[in-house]
Amino acid sequence: MRNLIAAMWILAAAPAFAQAPAWRPVPATDAVEPSQTIAEAPAEAWQDIPPENLLLIDLASGQRVAIELAPLFAPVHVANIRAFARSGYWHSPAIYRVQDNYVVQWGNGEEEGGQAPPLPQGVVALPPAEYGRPLQGLSPRPLGFPDAYAPLVGHAGGWPLAWDPESGRAWLPHCYGTVGVARDLAPDTGSGAELYAVSGHAPRQLDRNIATVGRVIEGFEHMTANRRGSEALGFIGNRVDRVPIARISMAADLPEGERPAFQSMRTDSASFAAYVKGRANRGGPFFAVQAGGVDVCNAPVPVRRRP
Amino acid sequence: MRNLIAAMWILAAAPAFAQAPAWRPVPATDAVEPSQTIAEAPAEAWQDIPPENLLLIDLASGQRVAIELAPLFAPVHVANIRAFARSGYWHSPAIYRVQDNYVVQWGNGEEEGGQAPPLPQGVVALPPAEYGRPLQGLSPRPLGFPDAYAPLVGHAGGWPLAWDPESGRAWLPHCYGTVGVARDLAPDTGSGAELYAVSGHAPRQLDRNIATVGRVIEGFEHMTANRRGSEALGFIGNRVDRVPIARISMAADLPEGERPAFQSMRTDSASFAAYVKGRANRGGPFFAVQAGGVDVCNAPVPVRRRP
């Protein structure tokens, strides 16, 4: 009877604010603790992150933040970011926005009326709105649990994914650590000179409204632990209060011996399927009840230093 | 055809890891920007937060964090917390755990083998497992969008809520700012002497596994911006590196003139319905696409200083 009622909700044309269909989580009894799955994943479950996709933010404090770029989703913006890093465009970069439960943002952070440096050669000044891409070619693995923002969510090519089979569009959702391109009002899409990373509960309302270009894979705590900016939206108005960045570079440009090397878990691997199952059904002596589900931002793709 | 397929998913007995039924977000064209709804909400849309439910954490730095306690969900734990605050049990409290994208935790933080003070009179040493409560009596308003962790989510009595109509159980979900009672392994439920607040993407796997007892309503940035603990799980082993707390008190015990006064939006008000609709369908010149949905942790109940 319950199921029939739920089915009727779906069969009816859904008004915008209708009760969502009930979904009954069913915990799995054979789930393995995610940390164990990660530790035991075989070598073939991991893929190298190309140094060409690895952006390194070296804070003046000596701490490093590593970001994996996602040309799969935003090739023009990613090409711009590489060019900014390589050209010295970021002449005196800093973290100039720290908004609690939202984002950390950095770049040159020119003041209103300030003079931005000329764009490096090859940079596309007005990139297309890479707020998503065709679903075709991604072969995503559905997460298997419902989402409040998209018809379907899951993973593809080592990334979280949200998609709409009807429109054929897919996008990299805003999860903790997701990196996006700051922009002004549409149709401006941002050049990639000013970037942010999500530092709070997933602000999925930004999905399909901004170019998401990557994710922080190491050292994010050096950004998130900074004092929140006191101005509106967490901006840090006073230049001396900003968090200075010594250097932004591509790992590919470092001498091989100095390059950090990372791997991410293949999202089409059996290990990853087991990992997601474990995230949805936490076991061990602490958990009395298993959720039987997990949201796409609470099952981050495992990343490790290359062993 | 799409809908029929979705309905078949529901009609079939759902295996633990099945594809969730597709849900198609339908953006609303008449949504109002949430900040505008909050600004225009009439006085009757707000309710006072009783000072008896207001826990104040005064950091040694002079900054204050305000927490609303939730006797609606965990009456025994909340009574314990009031007794701890009033008895001076917290003799030298500190923030001793800051784990990135997870929790901030505080209390006396006794070392392994350290001697905890005797429990104040009236404190229940081993409270019941208040990991949820009967749904009966709550009259929740469903959010109207699907959730990955619970059959239904929404709001009741000024709080976010997850519930299962079949079991008749309801619980206060782990969202950003939710306060819970740290515990060791079950069946221990924690006394309330050691508390944590969620400081990252909602760790909903903790739902129904821990007593959730309230939420931070002001000043959380003074907790979240602290340096992450360097030990496992973000613990700060060295006492001198902890973030000292000068005083933990109940607002009700302060002289009336010194008491901060807060209000939360009534979740059964028309203003709150409009607010949720606005959170699910962000408008204005920035947003090119409306999500048409929002998750329960991304529609926090508005709180304000009493005007």
Side-chain angles (χ1 to χ4, degrees):
Chain A
M1 188 57 200
R2 231 192 126 53
N3 284 341
L4 266 175
I5 290 170
M8 284 169 63
W9 272 113
I10 294 217
L11 287 167
F17 216 52
Q19 165 87 39
W23 169 77
R24 178 157 301 284
V26 181
T29 52
D30 59 344
V32 174
E33 181 56 28
S35 58
Q36 191 186 333
T37 301
I38 293 171
E40 294 174 358
E44 61 266 27
W46 299 91
Q47 59 196 355
D48 289 343
I49 293 177
E52 193 59 30
N53 291 346
L54 192 55
L55 183 73
L56 302 173
I57 317 277
D58 288 311
L59 302 177
S61 62
Q63 296 160 322
R64 173 173 280 179
V65 182
I67 291 170
E68 181 184 6
L69 298 173
L72 191 63
F73 292 94
V76 178
H77 282 90
V78 166
N80 274 6
I81 292 166
R82 291 190 188 116
F84 286 129
R86 286 175 164 149
S87 66
Y89 178 86
W90 284 311
H91 56 83
S92 55
I95 296 172
Y96 56 82
R97 182 185 183 192
V98 185
Q99 185 173 5
D100 199 60
N101 193 21
Y102 201 47
V103 299
V104 175
Q105 187 171 322
W106 66 91
N108 286 336
E110 310 296 341
E111 262 89 359
E112 198 73 44
Q115 193 63 41
L119 290 180
Q121 197 167 17
V123 160
V124 178
L126 296 167
E130 298 177 308
Y131 302 164
R133 53 153 285 159
L135 175 60
Q136 200 171 23
L138 287 180
S139 308
R141 176 205 292 274
L143 186 66
F145 308 113
D147 185 73
Y149 303 89
L152 284 168
V153 290
H155 296 84
W159 295 92
L161 194 78
W163 70 97
D164 181 350
E166 202 162 277
S167 70
R169 299 291 294 173
W171 56 95
L172 178 62
H174 279 81
C175 295
Y176 191 88
T178 298
V179 175
V181 173
R183 67 164 170 87
D184 290 327
L185 300 183
D188 167 44
T189 71
S191 65
E194 313 294 326
L195 298 171
Y196 67 86
V198 171
S199 57
H201 185 74
R204 300 277 308 279
Q205 71 274 12
L206 297 174
D207 289 5
R208 296 181 289 159
N209 285 291
I210 286 188
T212 42
V213 295
R215 63 180 157 199
V216 180
I217 58 171
E218 195 177 270
F220 196 26
E221 65 274 19
H222 307 310
M223 287 184 159
T224 58
N226 288 294
R227 190 151 57 118
R228 279 49 184 149
S230 58
E231 300 192 354
L233 305 176
F235 279 95
I236 306 168
N238 199 332
R239 225 160 227 289
V240 300
D241 291 333
R242 296 181 178 180
V243 181
I245 295 171
R247 188 174 67 155
I248 303 180
S249 54
M250 296 304 305
D253 299 340
L254 298 185
E256 213 169 324
E258 295 174 23
R259 265 183 225 164
F262 295 92
Q263 296 181 315
S264 67
M265 190 178 276
R266 294 184 63 101
T267 50
D268 58 358
S269 67
S271 295
F272 188 74
Y275 162 78
V276 169
K277 192 177 202 170
R279 291 291 295 183
N281 301 277
R282 300 299 290 271
F286 183 84
F287 286 91
V289 175
Q290 295 179 324
V294 69
D295 77 84
V296 68
C297 289
N298 198 8
V301 176
V303 171
R304 67 175 187 182
R305 289 276 183 154
R306 189 167 63 200
Chain B
M1 188 57 200
R2 243 199 110 54
N3 284 340
L4 266 175
I5 290 170
M8 284 170 63
W9 273 112
I10 294 218
L11 287 166
F17 217 52
Q19 164 88 41
W23 169 77
R24 178 158 302 281
V26 181
T29 52
D30 59 345
V32 174
E33 182 56 28
S35 58
Q36 190 187 333
T37 301
I38 293 171
E40 294 174 357
E44 61 267 27
W46 299 91
Q47 59 195 356
D48 288 343
I49 293 178
E52 192 60 29
N53 292 347
L54 191 55
L55 183 73
L56 302 173
I57 316 275
D58 289 312
L59 302 177
S61 63
Q63 295 160 322
R64 173 173 280 178
V65 182
I67 291 170
E68 180 183 7
L69 298 174
L72 192 64
F73 291 93
V76 177
H77 283 91
V78 166
N80 273 6
I81 291 165
R82 291 190 187 115
F84 286 129
R86 286 174 166 151
S87 66
Y89 178 85
W90 284 311
H91 57 83
S92 55
I95 296 171
Y96 56 82
R97 181 186 184 191
V98 185
Q99 185 172 5
D100 199 60
N101 192 21
Y102 200 47
V103 298
V104 175
Q105 187 171 322
W106 66 91
N108 285 335
E110 309 296 342
E111 263 88 0
E112 199 73 43
Q115 192 65 40
L119 290 179
Q121 197 168 15
V123 161
V124 178
L126 297 167
E130 297 178 309
Y131 301 164
R133 53 152 285 158
L135 175 61
Q136 200 169 23
L138 288 179
S139 308
R141 175 206 292 274
L143 185 67
F145 309 114
D147 184 74
Y149 303 89
L152 285 167
V153 289
H155 297 84
W159 296 91
L161 194 77
W163 69 97
D164 182 350
E166 203 163 274
S167 70
R169 299 292 293 173
W171 57 95
L172 178 62
H174 280 81
C175 296
Y176 191 88
T178 298
V179 175
V181 173
R183 67 164 171 87
D184 291 326
L185 299 183
D188 167 44
T189 71
S191 64
E194 313 295 326
L195 298 171
Y196 67 87
V198 171
S199 57
H201 185 74
R204 300 277 308 279
Q205 71 274 13
L206 297 174
D207 288 5
R208 295 181 289 159
N209 285 292
I210 285 189
T212 41
V213 294
R215 63 180 158 199
V216 180
I217 58 172
E218 195 177 270
F220 196 26
E221 65 274 19
H222 307 311
M223 287 184 159
T224 57
N226 288 293
R227 191 151 58 121
R228 279 50 183 149
S230 58
E231 300 192 355
L233 305 176
F235 279 94
I236 306 168
N238 199 333
R239 225 162 226 291
V240 300
D241 291 333
R242 296 180 178 181
V243 181
I245 295 171
R247 188 173 68 153
I248 304 181
S249 54
M250 296 303 306
D253 298 341
L254 298 186
E256 213 168 324
E258 294 174 23
R259 266 184 225 163
F262 294 92
Q263 297 181 315
S264 67
M265 190 178 275
R266 293 185 64 102
T267 50
D268 58 359
S269 67
S271 295
F272 188 74
Y275 162 79
V276 169
K277 192 177 201 169
R279 291 290 295 182
N281 300 279
R282 300 300 290 271
F286 183 84
F287 287 90
V289 176
Q290 295 179 324
V294 68
D295 78 82
V296 68
C297 289
N298 198 8
V301 176
V303 172
R304 66 175 187 182
R305 289 275 182 156
R306 189 167 62 200

